[in-house]
Amino acid sequence: MEPFIDKQLIKVITGQRRIGKSYILLQLSDVIKKSNSNANIIYIDKEQLAFSAIQNHLDLYEYVIKMSTGCTHNYLFVDEVQEITDFQLCLRSLLNENICDIYCTGSNAKILSGELATHLSGRYMEFQIHSLSYVEFLTFNRLSDSQESLTQYLTFGGMPYIHNLAMEPNIIFEYLRNVYSTILLKDVVAREAIRNVSFLENLVAYLVDNTGSLFSAQNISKYLKSQQVNIPTQTILNYLKALCNSFFIYKIQRAEVQGMKIFEIGEKYYFEDLGLHNAIRHFDFRRNINKLIENVICIDLLRHGYQVYIGKSDNKEIDFIASKDDHRIYIQAAYMLPDDATIQREFGNLLEIPDNYPKYVVTMDDLLSGGNYQGIRQISLRKFLLAEDKERL
């Protein structure tokens, strides 16, 4: 984000609640103060009672004008800007008047798809923050790379605060369940005016149980009707969108390998943070390991700036197609390759793709002899998560 300091663009940091956006703002303010001793930092945290009087765009504008100095070194930081009604009207005016350099955070994608996109098109930059990567998890918790560390990461996830807690499931999951409740109530139910909270919770539980499975709102609606629960398909779709807007889950669509035609049905959903995923239901590591591997690969690809799709090639499925700029990689995820049938299935789907982009089978077991099968690379999950350049593993 540093190249955009002092540029006439609003810098918007987005991501799930409690992911670390506030600390990114504080780090940016430190960078600015270090390079400019005359910087006037105006910091507004809408989660603090001290700023409760700032309710709408007029309150925000009045406060910024009062706190601004006559110099041109004013910097505005607004944490959880979506809590201020019509905030975009104030930001647009401040930008046009060149009063301050503007940075803000938001926990709901609507601030980009709706408010900001409508009023500030072409005049803002989005920087999405994800939960800690495996590398960051090791750093935060002072761990070395090992199979045990990877198991802890797959179990507890990458919410930054957990490094302050003892690495015990009952302690960490209790904290994460409270984070989940906050996300659900503040960023989904309240923000999206959800009425049927009980069904929303059941839908999240269903997504946990079916992580990485093809999803159909219509099929769920039919199943519910068979259980004497009448929930329209559109309501299910609306609730799913609300969960996506809060950055709690991500919708990954299917695409044809040849031509990249996007399919409108049969998507999959993955969770931003594995710890939250595991805290919602009774957690069984061995029973869930394949879901966890797929989920962690998907989020790691998104973290590295890839557009991610589920691949479809004739009647076969490729776990992930990841595209960035003019590059593409194909990935099959598997916990283990215990027999020839599994090896042929996981590698065979990739062998049938007639292009020269990198293709990997990512697993947690020992590598095959030579680390490949008919030219397709097998990569350990640890190595995949540690790699910064996914095209050069």
Side-chain angles (χ1 to χ4, degrees):
M1 296 179 68
E2 289 186 38
F4 298 95
I5 293 175
D6 289 320
K7 299 296 187 291
Q8 277 291 92
L9 291 166
I10 297 172
K11 277 68 72 173
V12 185
I13 302 172
T14 60
Q16 179 184 274
R17 191 177 290 268
R18 299 287 178 265
I19 214 78
K21 303 185 299 297
S22 301
Y23 275 83
I24 298 292
L25 276 191
L26 293 170
Q27 290 172 329
L28 278 168
S29 67
D30 287 343
V31 168
I32 290 169
K33 285 185 284 188
K34 188 174 181 180
S35 62
N36 182 358
S37 59
N38 295 318
N40 177 40
I41 304 295
I42 305 167
Y43 196 99
I44 299 169
D45 183 353
K46 279 300 295 174
E47 291 198 328
Q48 293 185 8
L49 192 60
F51 300 101
S52 60
I54 303 176
Q55 294 290 323
N56 57 44
H57 64 293
L58 297 176
D59 299 333
L60 178 59
Y61 186 81
E62 181 181 350
Y63 182 84
V64 173
I65 295 301
K66 182 176 71 173
M67 300 300 293
S68 297
T69 62
C71 69
T72 58
H73 302 297
N74 296 300
Y75 297 86
L76 173 63
F77 293 82
V78 187
D79 200 2
E80 300 297 351
V81 70
Q82 79 276 354
E83 302 297 331
I84 301 173
T85 304
D86 293 330
F87 68 89
Q88 70 280 359
L89 302 178
C90 175
L91 298 189
R92 181 176 64 180
S93 183
L94 293 172
L95 186 69
N96 289 338
E97 296 173 57
N98 198 23
I99 292 174
C100 51
D101 192 19
I102 304 170
Y103 304 80
C104 54
T105 74
S107 300
N108 195 289
K110 272 192 173 181
I111 71 168
L112 292 178
S113 62
E115 290 97 326
L116 277 181
T118 300
H119 294 274
L120 295 166
S121 180
R123 291 185 285 179
Y124 71 89
M125 293 284 295
E126 179 191 7
F127 301 89
Q128 189 168 350
I129 307 299
H130 290 279
S131 61
L132 299 181
S133 68
Y134 178 53
V135 175
E136 293 165 337
F137 176 84
L138 296 176
T139 302
F140 265 60
N141 295 286
R142 296 183 175 88
L143 298 171
S144 57
D145 171 41
S146 67
Q147 200 66 27
E148 181 183 0
S149 296
L150 177 61
T151 298
Q152 285 189 331
Y153 181 59
L154 294 176
T155 302
F156 300 135
M159 297 298 284
Y161 186 79
I162 66 172
H163 85 281
N164 295 302
L165 306 174
M167 281 290 182
E168 297 178 16
N170 60 325
I171 295 173
I172 292 179
F173 285 160
E174 182 61 29
Y175 164 73
L176 291 173
R177 278 190 286 269
N178 280 279
V179 173
Y180 164 62
S181 296
T182 303
I183 292 169
L184 213 64
L185 292 174
K186 284 193 173 184
D187 298 322
V188 183
V189 174
R191 178 73 183 179
E192 307 279 353
I194 297 293
R195 295 182 180 180
N196 193 338
V197 178
S198 176
F199 172 70
L200 177 67
E201 292 175 336
N202 289 334
L203 179 60
V204 171
Y206 178 89
L207 292 171
V208 169
D209 290 340
N210 292 276
T211 302
S213 300
L214 290 177
F215 186 94
S216 168
Q218 190 172 15
N219 286 345
I220 290 183
S221 183
K222 289 179 180 177
Y223 166 75
L224 291 170
K225 285 181 180 178
S226 72
Q227 305 297 310
Q228 283 74 53
V229 178
N230 189 20
I231 301 290
T233 300
Q234 190 57 50
T235 299
I236 298 171
L237 293 172
N238 290 342
Y239 282 20
L240 287 168
K241 187 174 182 181
L243 290 166
C244 290
N245 281 342
S246 68
F247 301 102
F248 183 64
I249 60 172
Y250 290 88
K251 174 183 175 179
I252 306 298
Q253 293 180 287
R254 288 193 304 158
E256 185 67 55
V257 171
Q258 299 298 316
M260 290 300 290
K261 173 189 173 184
I262 308 299
F263 295 94
E264 295 299 324
I265 58 173
E267 67 273 9
K268 294 185 178 184
Y269 289 89
Y270 294 96
F271 286 71
E272 165 64 46
D273 183 72
L274 281 180
L276 290 173
H277 171 281
N278 298 337
I280 293 167
R281 302 280 274 181
H282 174 71
F283 179 64
D284 183 329
F285 185 83
R286 288 191 174 276
R287 188 170 65 85
N288 287 278
I289 185 61
N290 286 302
K291 301 175 188 176
L292 302 183
I293 292 172
E294 275 195 43
N295 202 126
V296 78
I297 290 173
C298 178
I299 299 302
D300 197 61
L301 290 168
L302 293 174
R303 185 183 290 112
H304 281 82
Y306 286 95
Q307 289 184 303
V308 182
Y309 302 95
I310 307 302
K312 183 179 181 300
S313 180
D314 295 327
N315 293 322
K316 296 183 178 179
E317 183 180 289
I318 309 300
D319 286 335
F320 298 112
I321 305 173
S323 301
K324 182 166 62 173
D325 301 326
D326 58 344
H327 299 290
R328 184 187 299 179
I329 56 177
Y330 301 96
I331 296 169
Q332 287 287 93
Y335 174 38
M336 301 184 75
L337 302 172
D339 50 48
D340 287 341
T342 306
I343 291 171
Q344 291 175 18
R345 181 182 70 246
E346 300 296 345
F347 286 88
N349 290 359
L350 296 176
L351 284 167
E352 292 186 12
I353 301 174
D355 63 39
N356 295 317
Y357 290 114
K359 302 173 182 68
Y360 307 117
V361 174
V362 180
T363 71
M364 284 184 66
D365 63 352
D366 295 333
L367 298 185
L368 300 173
S369 177
N372 72 80
Y373 178 84
Q374 297 185 30
I376 303 294
R377 292 280 307 280
Q378 181 190 7
I379 302 291
S380 73
L381 181 60
R382 283 164 53 195
K383 182 175 181 178
F384 180 85
L385 295 176
L386 291 169
E388 284 299 313
D389 188 347
K390 305 301 183 185
E391 287 114 47
R392 300 177 184 274
L393 283 163

